């Protein structure tokens, strides 16, 4: 029983005591305390049955989130999600990101304006602003029968700066307000790190492969209760893996999604281009990188955890 239902119970008991016929209240052989005990028990049972029978009006609304690090194949998987029926995907979401705020002109971005204003808003206020805006959008999409999916931009928290940022992850920020349906997508850390370096996105210090693997382990720890989808599995068996992805996110599945993906445009599309879903050969590893990969303690731990090989030969 909740506090509200207990208040209802006490109110009902008080009403009974005030309004019940005198002959009922003075029934022979039943004292007032015992009448109250019996009534309390009966009403408790009735209210519990009613509560169980009615839907919980305070249930959290459902929200779907996708989490991955840069250069792990997240864009192609996000396009597959966007190709499902009645899905609206917001790409690269992070209300607290330290990235992308070097340009002062942002007339439509209230959180960005609040960050760089003459008196910057606190991170608590930024979080409230984000949740308030999200609630409006989520309610609007729900009314339309549209499934809202947020694609997390985890790079700013986990792979930017001298250490992993202390602010809440997107999932932690949302968990008190929403019933989250989430997935994490990953890729072999050797391949994702090679892509990261090629794009010039090694934004963390100290730099290097071992530090990259250490940060990925923290990312995985922060999402340890979320199912994992491997990029390699997706591109080799897109139909079955995408079906499992939609099941995890509680989304409808369109088996023809592959033919729709080329029409989807989202931010963060930095990978190698090509319409055919296939596993690409590993980028060339130079001698210094090979030595760095072999010496990485965190890579050995990460590869074992994710089920990847430490063999540098690739796929």
């Amino acid at each position: 029983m909740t506090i509200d239902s207990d208040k209802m119970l006490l109110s009902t008991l008080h009403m009974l005591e005030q309004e019940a016929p005198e002959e009922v209240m003075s029934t022979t052989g039943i004292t007032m305390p015992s009448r109250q005990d019996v009534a309390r028990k009966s009403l408790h049972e009735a209210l519990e049955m009613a509560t169980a029978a009615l839907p919980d009006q305070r249930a959290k609304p459902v929200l779907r989130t996708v989490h991955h690090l840069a250069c792990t194949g997240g864009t192609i998987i996000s396009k597959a999600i966007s190709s499902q029926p009645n899905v609206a995907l917001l790409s690269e979401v992070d209300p607290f990101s330290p990235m992308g705020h070097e340009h002062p002109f942002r007339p439509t971005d209230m959180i960005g304006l609040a960050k760089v204003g003459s008196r910057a808003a606190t991170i608590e206020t930024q979080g409230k602003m984000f949740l308030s805006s999200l609630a409006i959008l989520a309610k609007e999409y729900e009314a339309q029968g549209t499934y809202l999916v947020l694609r997390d931009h985890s790079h700013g928290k986990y792979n930017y700066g001298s250490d992993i940022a202390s602010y809440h992850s997107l999932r932690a920020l949302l968990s008190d307000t929403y019933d989250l349906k989430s997935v994490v997508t990953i890729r072999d850390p050797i391949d994702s790190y090679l892509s990261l370096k090629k794009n010039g996105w090694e934004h963390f210090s100290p730099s290097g492969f071992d530090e990259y693997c250490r940060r990925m382990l923290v990312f995985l720890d922060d999402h340890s209760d979320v199912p994992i989808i491997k990029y390699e599995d997706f591109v080799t068996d897109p139909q079955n893996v995408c079906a499992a992805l939609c099941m995890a996110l509680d989304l409808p599945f369109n088996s023809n999604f592959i033919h729709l993906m080329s029409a989807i445009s989202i931010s963060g599309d930095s990978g190698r281009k090509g319409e055919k879903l296939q596993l690409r050969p590993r980028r060339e590893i130079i001698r210094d990188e090979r030595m760095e990969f072999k010496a990485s303690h965190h890579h050995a731990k990460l590869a074992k955890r994710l089920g990847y090989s430490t063999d540098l030969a690739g796929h």
Side-chain angles (χ1 to χ4, degrees):
M1 299 294 288
T2 65
I3 294 175
D4 289 341
S5 61
D6 280 337
K7 287 181 179 178
M8 184 189 304
L9 173 63
L10 292 174
S11 176
T12 305
L13 286 170
H14 180 71
M15 181 185 68
L16 285 174
E17 291 175 358
Q18 296 296 319
E19 299 182 6
E22 182 178 349
E23 58 271 19
V24 172
M25 302 299 290
S26 59
T27 302
T28 303
I30 302 180
T31 63
M32 179 61 71
S34 63
R35 281 203 305 275
Q36 287 184 338
D37 290 343
V38 171
R40 183 184 297 273
K41 181 179 179 181
S42 298
L43 285 171
H44 250 293
E45 292 174 351
L47 286 172
E48 285 177 344
M49 291 177 62
T51 300
L54 293 173
D56 187 355
Q57 298 301 316
R58 296 160 299 169
K60 297 178 183 178
V62 173
L63 185 66
R64 296 153 178 90
T65 60
V66 182
H67 308 268
H68 39 245
L69 297 176
C71 299
T72 58
T75 300
I76 195 70
I77 293 176
S78 295
K79 284 185 176 183
I81 295 171
S82 296
S83 301
Q84 305 308 320
N86 299 327
V87 167
L89 182 135
L90 303 188
S91 183
E92 299 187 306
V93 178
D94 179 5
F96 305 129
S97 177
M99 305 176 65
H101 295 288
E102 60 275 11
H103 302 296
F105 184 69
R106 51 175 69 83
T108 64
D109 178 8
M110 289 302 294
I111 295 177
L113 289 167
K115 287 182 178 181
V116 299
S118 59
R119 186 170 295 178
T122 65
I123 196 165
E124 290 79 11
T125 298
Q126 294 169 35
K128 291 176 182 178
M129 292 173 68
F130 174 74
L131 290 172
S132 177
S133 299
L134 179 61
I136 295 171
L137 188 61
K139 187 174 182 180
E140 179 71 17
Y141 279 135
E142 183 182 15
Q144 298 172 5
T146 300
Y147 303 97
L148 177 60
V149 181
L150 304 187
R151 179 194 180 195
D152 187 7
H153 187 260
S154 302
H155 189 78
K157 177 172 174 62
Y158 294 97
N159 282 336
Y160 188 86
S162 60
D163 203 353
I164 295 169
S166 60
Y167 63 77
H168 282 315
S169 67
L170 180 64
R171 197 162 188 274
L173 175 65
L174 298 171
S175 60
D176 286 342
T177 307
Y178 294 95
D179 175 12
L180 296 175
K181 309 290 184 183
S182 304
V183 294
V184 164
T185 72
I186 60 166
R187 183 186 179 194
D188 189 313
I190 293 177
D191 294 312
S192 58
Y193 179 71
L194 290 171
S195 295
L196 196 79
K197 285 188 67 176
K198 182 179 183 298
N199 287 332
W201 292 348
E202 201 171 8
H203 295 141
F204 51 87
S205 60
S207 60
F209 182 62
D210 193 60
E211 175 67 6
Y212 174 75
C213 292
R214 182 189 76 82
R215 289 170 178 251
M216 185 179 284
L217 284 166
V218 176
F219 166 77
L220 292 172
D221 286 342
D222 287 351
H223 300 82
S224 59
D225 59 338
V226 180
I228 290 177
I229 300 288
K230 288 185 176 181
Y231 162 77
E232 295 84 359
D233 293 340
F234 174 76
V235 295
T236 53
D237 188 9
Q239 284 287 336
N240 287 324
V241 175
C242 191
L245 181 68
C246 289
M247 183 177 295
L249 292 173
D250 193 19
L251 290 174
F253 174 61
N254 174 15
S255 60
N256 294 316
F257 73 94
I258 293 177
H259 306 296
L260 304 175
M261 289 175 58
S262 60
I264 302 294
S265 178
I266 61 176
S267 66
D269 195 356
S270 60
R272 286 178 279 186
K273 301 300 185 285
E275 292 188 4
K276 186 177 180 180
L277 290 179
Q278 60 183 356
L279 202 57
R280 304 293 182 90
R282 175 165 287 169
R283 297 182 188 274
E284 181 183 358
I285 303 176
I286 63 176
R287 180 176 179 275
D288 289 349
E289 290 172 338
R290 188 174 296 274
M291 293 175 63
E292 184 182 6
F293 292 165
K294 288 182 177 179
S296 173
H297 167 72
H298 287 106
H299 177 234
K301 183 177 180 181
L302 181 61
K304 182 177 180 181
R305 177 169 178 173
L306 296 177
Y308 287 114
S309 172
T310 56
D311 183 3
L312 302 183
H315 314 296

